[in-house]
Amino acid sequence: MAADNSAILYLFDRPAEPVYVPKGEQRVAFDIPPNYLPEKYRNVATEVLTRYNDDTKLKVPVKNISIPDLSVPMQLGRREQFSLFLPFHRSMAARLIDIFINLRTYEDFLSVAVYCRDRLNPNMFIYALSVAILHRPDTKNLPVPPLSEIFPDKFVDGSVFSRAKEEANVAPTGARIPIEIPLDYTASDLDEEHRVAYFREDIGINLHHWHWHLVYPFDGPRSIVNKDRRGELFYYMHQQMQARYNAERLSNNLSQVRRFNNWREPIPEGYFSKLDSQIASRTWPARPSGTLLKDISRQADQVTFDIQTLERFRDRIYEAIHTGSVVNGRGDRVPLNEKDGIDILGNLMESSILSPNPKLYGDLHNMGHVAISFAHDPDHRYLESFSIMGDPATAMRDPIFFAYHAFINTVFVEHKRTLQPYSNQQLDYPGVEIKGISVQAPNVPVNTLSTYWTKSDVDLSRGMDFTPRGPIYVRFTHLNHADFKYNIVVNNKTNAIKRGTVRIFIAPKLDERGLPFTLENQRGLMIEMDKFQVSLKPGENKIERNSTQSSVTIPFERTFRNIDDQNRPSGGPALEQFNLCGCGWPQHMLLPKGNKGGFPMDLFVMVSNIQADEVVQNESGSCNDAASFCGIRDSKYPDARPMGYPFDRRPGDGVNALAQFLTGNMAVTQINIRFTDQVVPRTRSGSMGNSLSFI
């Protein structure tokens, strides 16, 4: 442990316990210099530093170095909540990331991180440490543990923790029984929005959203923020989450998300998260139905703005879209063209430090989150902190997240509508023809896919302070599906090998009224399922592709990985795969739930011309399993086409249905997703798929 760089991962263990207390199942302690102790313990340094000697199996030496100026990140109290959306908090975190990134050696990084851990706000520290580990060349191959292990209070019902401590104190390590979290615990079906709570509250989905923002921070050193097509990916990843959520809603006989674009009307959706903050020792504030947004004036959080300010920023962004350019900080006009316009707009909307003019166009996306998260206490008179909309790790649990992002998406769509429809030349691939497409899952008819419930366990022990050691599991129920494969038959009518990109999408076939979608309405619901390159020999080519190979997802085991030494592969490709790629949509949520009768969806497959797809990479990147949502680390985004192609633009004149859109290199067929309302156990430990025993 002391010989490699993985010791720093023990700083994630029990973040509110002192750094000198042994960490992890390996009982690792940091051997810190006495002056690294917080001031209140320095008078008893010898007693403190030797107290846990008998319980320590291994000590990690920590070098005594000159500590950089921490006055900026020290401004946030240890027991306060931390929000990336608040400018004051964001600037503190950015400064801490900058300190971590610019430390010369790993030993210096470890030393400063150890010094910071017991002095800084734990939530901010873990965020900055995670970003730094993912981006420093000497640590970027380390596996950052899932946030559900570090701060389980962001993911499970607050009542779980007292039960967990009781179980830990009563039962020995090997005999502890997992604590069951019911599928329905935040509301009843009297609230129709609760029908899709299983999607919003899914631990894997919320972990994906958190990890994506670690990979793509919007503030910090420019070297780690300024990634290839970062703004466009902000648009596309969130658009795809919207499309998936709408498919879940239609599966459950709900209408599509209502956009929250009138900020002076009451919010019809209420939400009571049932989460407690273990760090701040407070319940996350709830929002009753009918809450109104108000002007924000919170001196403690150093944030003051009016709802009118948000409206003014929105109007300026729409003006930029309709005039075809934004005004940068020097007063120059920057065109929102076909190639770069969506990327500029994404950085401007979020807004990241790459925004061309934050003073003029503001911080619309983040301040919208802030306004909603403080709706219950806009002027801090009740000394309440922000609600779950103020934290990327929890925001997706709230129905208003999707209503607000439906508005955010319409701004991007407004820009896309100013672009010309794709021409036949931009869509077709002469000489390449798709002759047939289908999907096949085990023991069901062709073009029928199966979904069901599964129960899985998550270990809370890494995030629970001062309790007996050893695993403490909670068992949660989540959506899952049977693995399936795509069968695609492609005819290469030329005499030469043709290379292309296979693009697979699905979308609901019928709207809320049971009527077929027009293409203009259906294209925004297209869910990207997979994207991969193929080489086509002359004549007929049969392509098989497993659902577990999706370019969107990562396996269940990587979403909920345990990073302790005995669970890590010993070396080779398996270790590299384990360490990398924490970013990606969870595999168990690849498919919408569907319904018992079979939810009809259109399966669309296209083989596009590699000449317009291929990206010449400057260097070989890594972590490309979920490249569609997360890109490839250290490389360019691996597709030269606009994200969402060919559905990111309005169809041409006279093209009203998906069938009319097809060129020879495209095909569409109907599939049905059949939901079985049963709990199916995972059939093998360590499985990278979702094999079943009964379907």
Side-chain angles (χ1 to χ4, degrees):
M1 173 61 64
D4 63 30
N5 291 357
S6 61
I8 199 166
L9 297 178
Y10 283 103
L11 293 178
F12 290 98
D13 196 86
R14 303 186 175 222
E17 277 188 0
V19 72
Y20 50 80
V21 177
K23 309 297 179 190
E25 296 178 24
Q26 299 302 301
R27 319 298 301 127
V28 176
F30 292 94
D31 189 7
I32 65 173
N35 60 302
Y36 274 40
L37 282 173
E39 285 71 15
K40 62 181 178 180
Y41 295 132
R42 287 185 183 175
N43 290 335
V44 288
T46 302
E47 294 87 339
V48 167
L49 294 177
T50 59
R51 179 179 177 185
Y52 296 95
N53 281 349
D54 293 341
D55 200 27
T56 299
K57 293 183 179 179
L58 181 65
K59 285 200 172 186
V60 176
V62 175
K63 187 167 68 170
N64 192 351
I65 67 170
S66 177
I67 302 299
D69 180 13
L70 297 172
S71 58
V72 172
M74 286 282 286
Q75 293 176 70
L76 186 65
R78 277 183 59 78
R79 292 295 174 180
E80 295 179 37
Q81 290 282 45
F82 166 73
S83 172
L84 270 178
F85 299 122
L86 284 168
F88 176 46
H89 292 192
R90 190 190 320 160
S91 64
M92 288 187 282
R95 174 59 186 142
L96 187 56
I97 293 169
D98 188 60
I99 290 171
F100 286 161
I101 288 289
N102 288 302
L103 289 164
R104 188 174 54 86
T105 66
Y106 166 77
E107 289 74 20
D108 289 351
F109 177 32
L110 175 66
S111 181
V112 174
V114 166
Y115 184 89
C116 289
R117 188 181 182 276
D118 292 345
R119 289 171 168 81
L120 300 183
N121 180 275
N123 284 282
M124 180 178 65
F125 171 78
I126 291 296
Y127 167 73
L129 182 68
S130 301
V131 172
I133 286 175
L134 288 172
H135 291 90
R136 282 182 62 96
D138 51 9
T139 57
K140 66 181 183 180
N141 290 339
L142 295 177
V144 172
L147 196 69
S148 55
E149 287 191 4
I150 308 165
F151 295 122
D153 54 303
K154 296 178 186 285
F155 299 91
V156 299
D157 177 5
S159 67
V160 165
F161 297 101
S162 58
R163 295 161 59 196
K165 289 179 179 179
E166 178 182 333
E167 183 71 21
N169 281 299
V170 171
T173 298
R176 293 173 184 171
I177 300 172
I179 298 163
E180 185 115 4
I181 302 175
L183 188 60
D184 300 304
Y185 73 89
T186 54
S188 71
D189 284 342
L190 288 174
D191 175 20
E192 67 174 18
E193 293 295 326
H194 186 64
R195 294 183 207 170
V196 285
Y198 67 88
F199 179 91
R200 297 193 319 270
E201 295 170 358
D202 183 84
I203 296 176
I205 285 178
N206 284 277
L207 284 174
H208 159 73
H209 189 226
W210 163 259
H211 201 105
W212 189 92
H213 281 281
L214 294 180
V215 176
Y216 291 93
F218 51 84
D219 203 344
R222 196 175 183 88
S223 60
I224 69 172
V225 176
N226 192 15
K227 294 185 173 72
D228 184 51
R229 296 170 70 178
R230 185 217 177 281
E232 183 178 8
L233 194 52
F234 169 78
Y235 142 71
Y236 185 60
M237 194 278 291
H238 287 86
Q239 184 274 329
Q240 281 291 288
M241 292 197 303
Q242 286 288 123
R244 289 176 174 276
Y245 186 57
N246 276 319
E248 298 296 337
R249 295 180 67 84
L250 292 170
S251 294
N252 287 277
N253 297 314
L254 293 171
S255 63
Q256 295 178 61
V257 175
R258 180 195 65 86
R259 288 176 300 157
F260 182 48
N261 58 351
N262 186 341
W263 302 323
R264 298 184 183 276
E265 289 184 352
I267 300 173
E269 302 92 353
Y271 189 66
F272 296 74
S273 71
K274 309 298 191 294
L275 298 180
D276 295 334
S277 169
Q278 300 297 298
I279 296 295
S281 301
R282 291 193 177 190
T283 301
W284 289 78
R287 187 188 63 258
S289 175
T291 299
L292 270 170
L293 296 190
K294 297 182 176 65
D295 298 341
I296 303 298
S297 178
R298 295 179 59 100
Q299 294 183 7
D301 300 301
Q302 297 190 22
V303 60
T304 300
F305 64 93
D306 300 339
I307 300 304
Q308 188 179 30
T309 303
L310 298 181
E311 296 169 334
R312 188 162 54 249
F313 290 149
R314 176 198 61 196
D315 294 344
R316 289 174 183 171
I317 293 171
Y318 271 113
E319 180 185 25
I321 291 169
H322 294 142
T323 58
S325 63
V326 298
V327 178
N328 66 20
R330 296 185 301 273
D332 303 323
R333 288 204 165 267
V334 180
L336 296 174
N337 56 28
E338 288 189 13
K339 182 178 182 296
D340 301 318
I342 190 69
D343 193 50
I344 294 170
L345 197 58
N347 285 318
L348 182 150
M349 282 286 291
E350 191 174 8
S351 82
S352 75
I353 61 169
L354 306 178
S355 172
N357 196 340
K359 289 184 178 179
L360 181 62
Y361 299 107
D363 194 2
L364 183 58
H365 166 264
N366 295 329
M367 289 301 98
H369 270 269
V370 170
I372 296 168
S373 71
F374 283 135
H376 58 283
D377 191 13
D379 57 8
H380 206 209
R381 69 179 61 189
Y382 301 114
L383 306 182
E384 285 289 313
S385 187
F386 50 82
S387 73
I388 63 171
M389 269 293 279
D391 188 332
T394 57
M396 287 183 67
R397 301 171 70 90
D398 193 329
I400 194 61
F401 174 90
F402 293 94
Y404 179 60
H405 272 271
F407 154 72
I408 295 292
N409 190 60
T410 59
V411 179
F412 293 116
V413 169
E414 191 76 11
H415 162 69
K416 288 285 187 176
R417 283 179 178 155
T418 67
L419 306 179
Q420 289 298 311
Y422 289 114
S423 65
N424 225 41
Q425 184 179 5
Q426 291 172 300
L427 296 172
D428 202 5
Y429 193 178
V432 173
E433 180 182 16
I434 296 184
K435 303 294 290 184
I437 58 172
S438 64
V439 291
Q440 183 67 65
N443 306 320
V444 293
V446 67
N447 289 338
T448 300
L449 301 178
S450 302
T451 62
Y452 51 90
W453 301 118
T454 293
K455 291 185 179 182
S456 297
D457 297 344
V458 172
D459 185 5
L460 301 186
S461 60
R462 192 184 305 277
M464 296 190 66
D465 304 310
F466 301 108
T467 58
R469 303 296 175 176
I472 303 171
Y473 290 106
V474 295
R475 180 164 293 163
F476 67 102
T477 303
H478 59 87
L479 188 66
N480 208 345
H481 63 274
D483 292 343
F484 59 94
K485 66 179 179 180
Y486 304 96
N487 296 298
I488 306 166
V489 181
V490 183
N491 186 23
N492 177 0
K493 297 187 289 185
T494 72
N495 295 321
I497 292 176
K498 291 274 192 178
R499 294 175 61 226
T501 303
V502 177
R503 302 169 187 273
I504 303 176
F505 292 82
I506 60 173
K509 192 176 184 69
L510 306 175
D511 66 14
E512 297 92 328
R513 301 164 296 173
L515 300 176
F517 277 107
T518 63
L519 179 57
E520 175 60 18
N521 291 326
Q522 189 185 36
R523 68 185 183 88
L525 300 171
M526 283 286 176
I527 298 169
E528 182 175 333
M529 299 290 286
D530 204 352
K531 180 167 56 183
F532 57 95
Q533 293 186 359
V534 290
S535 182
L536 304 170
K537 69 182 189 302
E540 185 175 276
N541 295 261
K542 293 183 178 179
I543 302 169
E544 287 190 356
R545 177 80 167 180
N546 291 323
S547 59
T548 53
Q549 296 174 280
S550 171
S551 64
V552 172
T553 61
I554 56 174
F556 185 92
E557 286 73 15
R558 207 171 304 157
T559 298
F560 297 97
R561 59 191 170 184
N562 186 324
I563 65 168
D564 276 321
D565 281 357
Q566 67 270 30
N567 295 296
R568 299 172 67 190
S570 58
L575 178 61
E576 183 178 0
Q577 185 185 52
F578 180 89
N579 284 350
L580 304 180
C581 314
C583 181
W585 190 256
Q587 175 69 27
H588 66 275
M589 298 297 284
L590 176 63
L591 287 179
K593 188 176 84 169
N595 56 41
K596 294 180 180 179
F599 182 67
M601 301 194 80
D602 281 326
L603 169 66
F604 171 90
V605 179
M606 173 188 194
V607 180
S608 57
N609 191 335
I610 196 72
Q611 292 182 354
D613 302 340
E614 199 162 33
V615 174
V616 178
Q617 301 285 13
N618 296 328
E619 55 183 306
S620 177
S622 57
C623 186
N624 61 359
D625 282 11
S628 290
F629 277 9
C630 301
I632 300 178
R633 191 174 66 188
D634 300 327
S635 298
K636 295 180 181 178
Y637 190 80
D639 184 5
R641 304 274 191 176
M643 297 177 197
Y645 167 87
F647 297 111
D648 64 305
R649 297 191 194 175
R650 57 189 169 89
D653 294 340
V655 179
N656 298 314
L658 182 57
Q660 298 172 308
F661 180 72
L662 304 182
T663 50
N665 58 324
M666 305 177 189
V668 65
T669 193
Q670 179 178 318
I671 64 173
N672 291 286
I673 300 180
R674 190 185 72 191
F675 171 65
T676 301
D677 194 8
Q678 295 182 25
V679 175
V680 180
R682 293 173 60 79
T683 56
R684 63 187 189 273
S685 177
S687 163
M688 301 303 275
N690 300 302
S691 296
L692 304 189
S693 55
F694 88 104
I695 290 181

